[in-house]
Amino acid sequence: MHINIPRLSVCFLALASLMTARAEHLVLLTTNDTHSQLLPDADNLGGAARRKAIVDSVRTVRDNVMLIDAGDVVQGTLFFNIGGGKAEEEIMNALGYDIRILGNHEFDNGADSLASVLSAAKAELLATNYDFTGSPLKPLFKKYTLRDVGGKRIGFIGINLQPKGMIAEGNYDGVRYLDAINTANSAARYLKDVEGADMVVAITHVGYNPSMPPGDLDIAANASDIDLIIGGHSHTTIDPKAGNIEWLVADRNGRRIPVTQTGKRGHYVGEIDIDLDDMTTQYRLIPVDSRLDKYPSPAIDSILRPYSMGIDSLMNYKIGETAMAFDKDKDPLLNLVADYMLTRGNELAGNVDLGIINKGGLRTSLPKGDISEGMVIMMMPFNNYATVLDIKGSDLLATFDVMARTAGNGVSKNVSVVFDPATKKCVSAKINGKPVDPDKTYRLSTIDYLANGGDYMEPLRNGKVVARSPRVLYQDIIGWIQNSMKGKKIKASGEKRVRPL
């Protein structure tokens, strides 16, 4: 059911959407990578109630509106840690999503848990290049869907990334990946030639231009029958008005395909207006900010209320104090956690040579001053475990090459790595001031996700596991802060330990 908001209260949202009536239009409202941000974030952006105000306002003044999500609905706030995805699922239903695809983080609790949560989904779920034979997800997903609007037929497909190297081993059992480009082209051709589609929309979770292709640019450049891409995964804010990034990409036949994406954490809702007369599109971003707080949603509030007590308890329970603010995208926080990995590894096994952590594992920042248990969980929310490996120097050097492709990750303070940005290869690697010896065996402390080849660190799979923490990493860190750092202010250096030549 769509809520009717008084006309005056929606004018400022819908003004740019009002089009002349020479033809019918289809409006696609899009989101991606909202990452459990059901309330406004630290920047006072996003939030499910605000998003609902936008969606309701557009539905009030437009006839043909679809709400679409391109994956990673979960993982990023305590709502997911406490509810396992149930709160996010209720919100998606309350907003009335029409079509959804998976992100990689949907698998964070495993395929069985994901199937249980998604069994309540009211939206159509698409997965074109995942074969779910043997997976509990199979009955929930379609390969494509078609919508007839204004005398035109619009086809939708869902294209996902290669799970190996991105999703934790064991969490996607029963899922077989099919080549993204080939499958997208084959499905689009089928929809046009057999199903009579006038337009094919590819909803993707592969990233705009990832270090491990293919991404949306590759899909667009190799396409012949895809007319629009609604993307996710890379958290890219594609804003035609700002002109910050290429969004009209030439396909194999020279046609310019719109490639869209709305960033992360629900900061924007994308609006794609399709003129069903000539099949042209207009695209813009609608900010999800405090101006929308004048339109509260009792329905959203009632969904979130049962989770609030547990979240408030974790967020208000002080465990320590920082001497500085730690930005999740800057070196001090990465260095702090990498140094802790070295410390924890020595507690678990002893004689550890270095620590490694992935920057993608750091999801939120820490403020200066008091920090709580909830803040640490949100900073590193994943169910990862500190793991100690014995590994050959040659595999360690190959791992540094992988890091070079993404401009580095976190290494402990006794490590220095230099890479060539042009070749994306490691040119120098030292531990305790000495070059890494390819023939020597080193003892490495990292997390099980990376030890199993996560974040494409496949060479780490060659190591031999010698120890593993019995507790999730954020529990280890909380214990370290409460005990080893009791009465001390936490700080870290800001040097770049994995740096370009």
Side-chain angles (χ1 to χ4, degrees):
M1 182 178 70
H2 298 160
I3 296 175
N4 288 321
I5 301 174
R7 183 61 176 257
L8 287 177
S9 69
V10 300
C11 284
F12 80 99
L13 291 174
L15 184 60
S17 299
L18 296 175
M19 309 293 290
T20 56
R22 67 183 183 86
E24 282 198 72
H25 288 247
L26 171 63
V27 177
L28 307 181
L29 298 179
T30 70
T31 57
N32 59 270
D33 300 276
T34 50
H35 284 296
S36 301
Q37 197 66 59
L38 305 182
L39 296 173
D41 65 7
D43 298 321
N44 197 23
L45 297 172
R50 293 172 176 178
R51 196 190 325 164
K52 191 174 192 304
I54 291 173
V55 173
D56 288 348
S57 73
V58 176
R59 283 174 171 158
T60 299
V61 297
R62 304 300 299 271
D63 290 330
N64 305 312
V65 180
M66 294 178 64
L67 183 57
I68 296 172
D69 186 80
D72 274 2
V73 170
V74 299
Q75 190 63 274
T77 73
L78 295 174
F79 282 105
F80 184 64
N81 297 86
I82 290 175
K86 293 179 181 178
E88 293 87 340
E89 198 60 40
E90 290 183 68
I91 291 296
M92 299 299 278
N93 289 339
L95 267 67
Y97 275 83
D98 295 282
I99 299 176
R100 294 166 54 189
I101 71 166
L102 293 170
N104 50 297
H105 285 292
E106 267 74 13
F107 289 93
D108 279 359
N109 288 340
D112 288 336
S113 174
L114 175 58
S116 176
V117 170
L118 289 180
S119 65
K122 295 180 181 179
E124 285 191 282
L125 305 175
L126 301 184
T128 308
N129 69 319
Y130 279 174
D131 180 356
F132 288 131
T133 302
S135 166
L137 296 166
K138 184 174 177 58
L140 302 176
F141 282 82
K142 299 178 179 179
K143 292 294 184 182
Y144 66 87
T145 190
L146 290 152
R147 298 295 177 96
D148 293 312
V149 184
K152 296 294 174 69
R153 174 162 275 201
I154 314 298
F156 298 87
I157 59 176
I159 303 297
N160 284 96
L161 51 71
Q162 163 66 269
K164 184 177 177 61
M166 182 54 63
I167 299 173
E169 291 294 320
N171 282 4
Y172 61 95
D173 290 349
V175 179
R176 186 168 72 92
Y177 170 79
L178 308 175
D179 181 82
I181 291 175
N182 291 339
T183 304
N185 283 337
S186 177
R189 185 164 54 250
Y190 170 83
L191 288 176
K192 286 196 170 178
D193 292 350
V194 179
E195 296 287 354
D198 298 287
M199 170 179 275
V200 173
V201 179
I203 310 168
T204 72
H205 195 87
V206 296
Y208 177 76
N209 187 26
S211 60
M212 298 294 289
D216 288 334
L217 292 183
D218 304 297
I219 291 174
N222 287 280
S224 295
D225 297 294
I226 295 172
D227 302 287
L228 169 66
I229 293 175
I230 297 171
H233 182 57
S234 57
H235 300 180
T236 309
T237 303
I238 302 177
D239 184 359
K241 185 177 179 180
N244 62 327
I245 195 168
E246 181 183 15
W247 72 284
L248 293 172
V249 181
D251 74 356
R252 192 184 301 175
N253 300 317
R255 294 183 311 139
R256 301 176 76 195
I257 299 177
V259 176
T260 70
Q261 196 177 152
T262 66
K264 61 183 177 180
R265 298 202 299 271
H267 287 187
Y268 296 96
V269 170
E271 183 189 69
I272 303 167
D273 189 296
I274 303 170
D275 186 324
L276 296 174
D277 184 22
D278 57 15
M279 305 306 286
T280 57
T281 61
Q282 295 184 36
Y283 163 59
R284 70 177 181 126
L285 295 179
I286 304 174
V288 183
D289 57 27
S290 60
R291 80 193 191 285
L292 300 162
D293 290 341
K294 64 182 73 174
Y295 311 110
S297 172
I300 298 298
D301 292 343
S302 68
I303 292 172
L304 301 184
R305 193 173 299 116
Y307 302 91
S308 297
M309 183 177 297
I311 291 174
D312 290 345
S313 176
L314 289 170
M315 290 303 293
N316 293 322
Y317 182 67
K318 177 184 174 180
I319 60 170
E321 186 177 0
T322 60
M324 56 190 289
F326 286 93
D327 189 316
K328 73 177 183 66
D329 296 318
K330 295 184 179 179
D331 292 304
L333 184 57
L334 195 61
N335 292 344
L336 176 73
V337 178
D339 289 343
Y340 173 74
M341 295 309 302
L342 181 62
T343 298
R344 184 60 177 141
N346 277 316
E347 292 172 347
L348 292 169
N351 301 313
V352 173
D353 295 294
L354 74 160
I356 288 179
I357 194 69
N358 57 326
K359 59 187 177 185
L362 306 178
R363 309 304 287 191
T364 60
S365 304
L366 292 177
K368 180 180 179 180
D370 292 347
I371 58 173
S372 68
E373 186 173 350
M375 290 176 185
V376 175
I377 296 172
M378 287 179 62
M379 180 190 74
M380 300 193 72
F382 307 108
N383 291 329
N384 294 326
Y385 296 81
T387 303
V388 180
L389 308 173
D390 283 345
I391 188 167
K392 294 285 288 184
S394 55
D395 290 317
L396 200 52
L397 290 169
T399 299
F400 292 147
D401 281 340
V402 175
M403 290 187 182
R405 293 204 293 266
T406 57
N409 275 285
V411 295
S412 52
K413 58 187 174 184
N414 60 327
V415 181
S416 174
V417 178
V418 180
F419 66 91
D420 185 343
T423 62
K424 295 186 177 180
K425 293 284 187 180
C426 170
V427 297
S428 171
K430 294 180 180 181
I431 299 175
N432 295 321
K434 297 180 180 179
V436 173
D437 182 347
D439 298 319
K440 180 180 175 180
T441 296
Y442 292 86
R443 183 156 286 187
L444 163 68
S445 177
T446 186
I447 55 175
D448 58 332
Y449 172 66
L450 299 182
N452 290 324
D455 270 7
Y456 308 109
M457 295 191 193
E458 188 72 17
L460 294 185
R461 291 172 63 91
N462 297 326
K464 178 184 177 182
V465 175
V466 296
R468 183 177 186 266
S469 175
R471 300 187 301 177
V472 175
L473 181 58
Y474 62 71
Q475 293 173 331
D476 280 344
I477 294 177
I478 289 169
W480 170 69
I481 293 171
Q482 289 176 317
N483 298 307
S484 299
M485 298 304 293
K486 186 176 182 179
K488 303 175 185 176
K489 291 187 178 181
I490 301 167
K491 57 184 177 181
S493 65
E495 78 268 19
K496 190 167 288 295
R497 297 169 181 174
V498 181
R499 58 184 178 85
L501 186 67

